[in-house]
Amino acid sequence: MNREPLGVGIVGAGPVVQAIHLPTLARLPDLFAVRSIMDVSPDVAAAVSGRIGAGASATLDELLADERVEVVAICSPSAFHASQVIAAMRAGKRAVLCEKPFATDREQAEQIAEVSRETGVPVIVGAMHTFDPGWTAAVTEWESLGHEAHTIRSRVVLPPNARFETSATEVLTPRPASGLPDLDDPSVRAGMVSGGVMGLAVHDLPLIRRLLPATDRPATDDVEVVSASALSPWGYELGALVHGRLVHAVGALTEQWRPTWELEVLSDTASMLLEFPPSYVHAGSAVATITTGEKTVRFGPHAHNGYEGEWRALHAIASSGSAAAPGVETLIEDLVFAVDLASAAAGRVRQEEIR
Amino acid sequence: MTALNALNGSNALTVRVEPAAGLRVAAVTAALATLPLSYREAGRDAEVVVVSGEPGWDERVRAAARTGARGVLVKDPVPLPTAATLQAEVPDCVIVLAETWASHPLLRSAAEQFAEPIGRAHLIDARSVEPATGRSLRAVLFAQLRAVQNLGIGVVSLAIAAETPSSILGVGRSASGARIALSAARSDTSDGSLDLLLVGRAETIRLALSDSGAVRPGRAMLTSEADAHELPTAWQSPLRTSLLALHDALSTGTPTDQLREFTEAAVLLDPGAGPSAG
């Protein structure tokens, strides 16, 4: 490739940036060069950027004013995503990558879509599984064979993130220890389940929505949460009927060491199982198997995971224009699907009998 | 003399397989053929009778007892909320249930060896896939519930949260407060196995149980903070396990106590109830 690597500005310098995005970008030196990192803590921004020879910005305005910054990654807390994405678009950057979720509600998401149309700056959301090459290969095959999912089941059981972060980098800002939540408090249970959907299940919800029959999209007007529960010490159980199809998801953070991240898809005549590696380990793609009555076909593992996939996608749309970007309407519907599920699950879990 | 008797099978119990709709006689005969020192096929006066678990199985048990049977094996019994009183009606006859997953040899091993971590689980998630021509999905959920019980987990509530033509979800609680989720779906890709995941704060337990007719071993793995412990595989079908359990019960005079929990499961998962809150 003859082109110069694209200059990157990163907003937020927490463990996800340190353990995921910077090691990923280190594998893509022909495509990207990190120019500036901004964090609410100037010391953290300086320390993280100093590791890779980038500049540190004290404010978002300063980062956006840096002409060497051509694409922006928004990796701050979710509440700031929408305003920062819009600011980056209005600053005339070539493309924006925003960590999931890219907004907190439909209104914010539509504002982003409007500004994207107005400025011509494309945005992609860092829901890494949607860019996982194991998933993309398998779902292409699934759809080409015309299978129609009637049941989707997700299982995510993970050891503490710190176990993986420290294998991916030397983390500068370890996560604070948290105490055991009081699950007798309905608001704690509701917050846990809502947070579980928006923080963990959200990785797979775009996949689930895509697996619903195309004629039924958008799914958001026919979502009924039929079960929800908060799990000690942290986790969720969630059952929903989406256009009459069963979606069941469990997620839990534990102290045991074995990571499990599975998505099982069933139709009358076929099944698909996706097994994803944990987020932080840079262990390549998911392995997907599609089974029919005649045979089982495996997809993956590929050398790179969905994080590398999303950065590659960002480079592609920044290089070739917004026409190559995912449809903003899809991003909005994915977001609303997640928000609606989280809200309904939180409402149900408040009423839950836990004894 | 005793050893010689064992060698030539003269200590074997006589057994009769009662033909009935829904009973896979060939599967039972095949399992009996693997136990030539324990069982010997006989006619009407057999000591042990194998009956179908299709509706009316309680009456078949009573009939077998009336003919003098010392033991009855009920193959794939359907839910029967009145089963608990059956044993008292036939006090001289040992009743053993042969169930799809609940009789799996690995389940008993896991219940014994992983008892403490099982008791610490906060989530019990059971999943299976049933072929299009298989059992009703409620029957599948019942079989899952029985497997959970046989892990030593007391189930105090269970409700159908969702039911479609292709899938079913039941949720409930254990006596220790763990969330229980049971789900089944239809697909021709079914291999008949049950996937059980138990999640605790510091441990997970995962079991894969093959179906009742398969000798294919299951798998049981306990993972903790620092290591993992996998139970040895047993190349034995749940049906053969049940036949051995009946033989042991008759040989040692040890009573069985399956009917109480079976009845509790039948009451919890009322076959006639519709979807309810989860």
Side-chain angles (χ1 to χ4, degrees):
Chain A
M1 183 174 293
N2 296 324
R3 298 182 56 157
E4 288 292 310
L6 290 171
V8 178
I10 300 176
V11 180
V16 170
V17 167
Q18 294 174 46
I20 293 177
H21 290 300
L22 293 182
T24 300
L25 289 167
R27 295 197 298 273
L28 302 170
D30 293 339
L31 303 185
F32 296 105
V34 181
R35 301 299 185 199
S36 182
I37 295 177
M38 174 259 166
D39 195 89
V40 291
S41 166
D43 290 342
V44 171
V48 174
S49 61
R51 294 174 169 191
I52 55 172
S57 299
T59 66
L60 178 64
D61 288 343
E62 184 182 339
L63 180 140
L64 296 178
D66 187 339
E67 292 185 353
R68 299 173 306 154
V69 172
E70 297 168 278
V71 296
V72 178
I74 306 296
C75 305
S76 54
S78 305
F80 304 109
H81 285 178
S83 62
Q84 291 173 338
V85 168
I86 288 172
M89 289 172 167
R90 293 210 182 281
K93 301 304 177 184
R94 294 172 64 172
V96 179
L97 165 65
C98 184
E99 269 292 348
K100 50 79 190 165
F102 78 134
T104 55
D105 56 32
R106 178 185 284 275
E107 186 179 355
Q108 279 190 349
E110 288 181 344
Q111 286 176 358
I112 291 172
E114 178 58 32
V115 176
S116 179
R117 283 189 286 266
E118 176 189 328
T119 61
V121 178
V123 58
I124 66 173
V125 177
M128 83 284 198
H129 285 172
T130 62
F131 296 95
D132 185 292
W135 152 254
T136 55
V139 75
T140 300
E141 174 74 2
W142 179 269
E143 290 174 343
S144 74
L145 295 174
H147 299 307
E148 187 172 303
H150 58 60
T151 307
I152 302 177
R153 300 188 286 202
S154 158
R155 266 181 181 163
V156 187
V157 180
L158 296 173
N161 279 333
R163 186 185 281 261
F164 301 129
E165 289 167 356
T166 53
S167 67
T169 190
E170 294 162 309
V171 181
L172 184 68
T173 50
R175 296 168 192 267
S178 56
L180 283 177
D182 176 13
L183 293 186
D184 287 332
D185 183 338
S187 65
V188 171
R189 297 200 303 270
M192 180 184 290
V193 170
S194 176
V197 173
M198 295 305 293
L200 194 55
V202 72
H203 287 293
D204 293 332
L205 293 180
L207 283 56
I208 290 170
R209 213 174 67 78
R210 177 165 172 178
L211 287 162
L212 300 175
T215 51
D216 286 343
R217 293 176 198 160
T220 51
D221 61 351
D222 189 9
V223 176
E224 180 191 1
V225 171
V226 296
S227 74
S229 184
L231 306 177
S232 177
W234 189 95
Y236 58 86
E237 180 273 329
L238 170 69
L241 287 173
V242 181
H243 278 282
R245 288 157 176 82
L246 180 65
V247 175
H248 188 238
V250 295
L253 300 185
T254 66
E255 299 296 325
Q256 57 90 48
W257 65 263
R258 188 188 302 275
T260 298
W261 197 318
E262 298 172 350
L263 188 68
E264 179 191 31
V265 185
L266 294 157
S267 79
D268 289 343
T269 55
S271 60
M272 175 163 62
L273 177 66
L274 292 129
E275 297 171 279
F276 292 96
S279 295
Y280 294 85
V281 296
H282 303 269
S285 77
V287 174
T289 51
I290 294 179
T291 300
T292 60
E294 295 78 36
K295 60 186 177 182
T296 295
V297 180
R298 190 179 82 163
F299 301 83
H302 298 267
H304 73 263
N305 63 12
Y307 285 110
E308 191 168 323
E310 68 193 36
W311 279 102
R312 289 179 180 276
L314 185 73
H315 190 275
I317 64 171
S319 303
S320 59
S322 59
V328 178
E329 288 306 317
T330 298
L331 300 182
I332 293 174
E333 293 300 333
D334 283 345
L335 174 77
V336 173
F337 183 48
V339 169
D340 285 357
L341 272 180
S343 174
R348 175 174 279 271
V349 83
R350 283 178 189 276
Q351 312 300 324
E352 182 187 16
E353 292 181 13
I354 60 171
R355 294 284 184 269
Chain B
M1 189 62 187
T2 303
L4 184 59
N5 283 345
L7 283 174
N8 65 21
S10 58
N11 282 345
L13 297 168
T14 55
V15 60
R16 171 167 58 86
V17 182
E18 190 175 88
L23 178 64
R24 289 186 295 172
V25 174
V28 179
T29 303
L32 285 168
T34 68
L35 297 167
L37 299 184
S38 298
Y39 288 102
R40 181 161 46 86
E41 292 206 48
R44 180 171 177 74
D45 297 329
E47 297 164 284
V48 169
V49 179
V50 179
V51 302
S52 162
E54 291 289 300
W57 64 263
D58 52 337
E59 189 49 45
R60 284 182 212 110
V61 170
R62 291 186 191 98
R66 282 195 296 272
T67 64
R70 295 172 54 207
V72 178
L73 186 135
V74 186
K75 177 77 168 63
D76 298 327
V78 297
L80 181 64
T82 57
T85 60
L86 189 57
Q87 186 66 74
E89 295 178 39
V90 290
D92 297 327
C93 181
V94 173
I95 304 168
V96 166
L97 307 178
E99 301 177 78
T100 304
W101 296 305
S103 302
H104 200 288
L106 202 57
L107 214 51
R108 178 178 294 180
S109 301
E112 291 172 356
Q113 298 196 42
F114 299 158
E116 290 187 11
I118 287 171
R120 290 192 290 265
H122 297 302
L123 170 71
I124 296 115
D125 183 31
R127 298 178 172 186
S128 65
V129 181
E130 189 72 6
T133 56
R135 299 163 290 181
S136 77
L137 292 178
R138 290 206 172 207
V140 177
L141 230 57
F142 181 79
Q144 292 184 1
L145 172 59
R146 290 287 298 130
V148 169
Q149 287 180 317
N150 278 3
L151 270 179
I153 296 167
V155 181
V156 296
S157 68
L158 190 73
I160 304 296
E163 190 168 18
T164 75
S166 305
S167 55
I168 191 167
L169 171 67
V171 293
R173 290 271 169 206
S174 74
S176 64
R179 181 68 159 179
I180 297 172
L182 313 175
S183 66
R186 288 209 185 280
S187 178
D188 287 341
T189 60
S190 167
D191 66 359
S193 62
L194 173 63
D195 181 356
L196 267 168
L197 175 69
L198 282 69
V199 181
R201 182 183 181 192
E203 300 120 340
T204 55
I205 299 170
R206 190 154 189 182
L207 295 100
L209 306 178
S210 48
D211 75 10
S212 61
V215 177
R216 181 163 43 87
R219 191 171 190 197
M221 179 85 77
L222 165 69
T223 304
S224 57
E225 292 180 58
D227 56 18
H229 178 193
E230 182 170 6
L231 295 183
T233 54
W235 298 87
Q236 176 162 290
S237 71
L239 176 56
R240 188 177 195 266
T241 304
S242 299
L243 286 165
L244 281 174
L246 178 56
H247 189 276
D248 288 349
L250 290 172
S251 301
T252 63
T254 307
T256 60
D257 189 24
Q258 292 179 297
L259 293 180
R260 181 180 54 80
E261 287 191 336
F262 183 87
T263 304
E264 290 173 359
V267 172
L268 279 168
L269 202 57
D270 181 354
S276 51

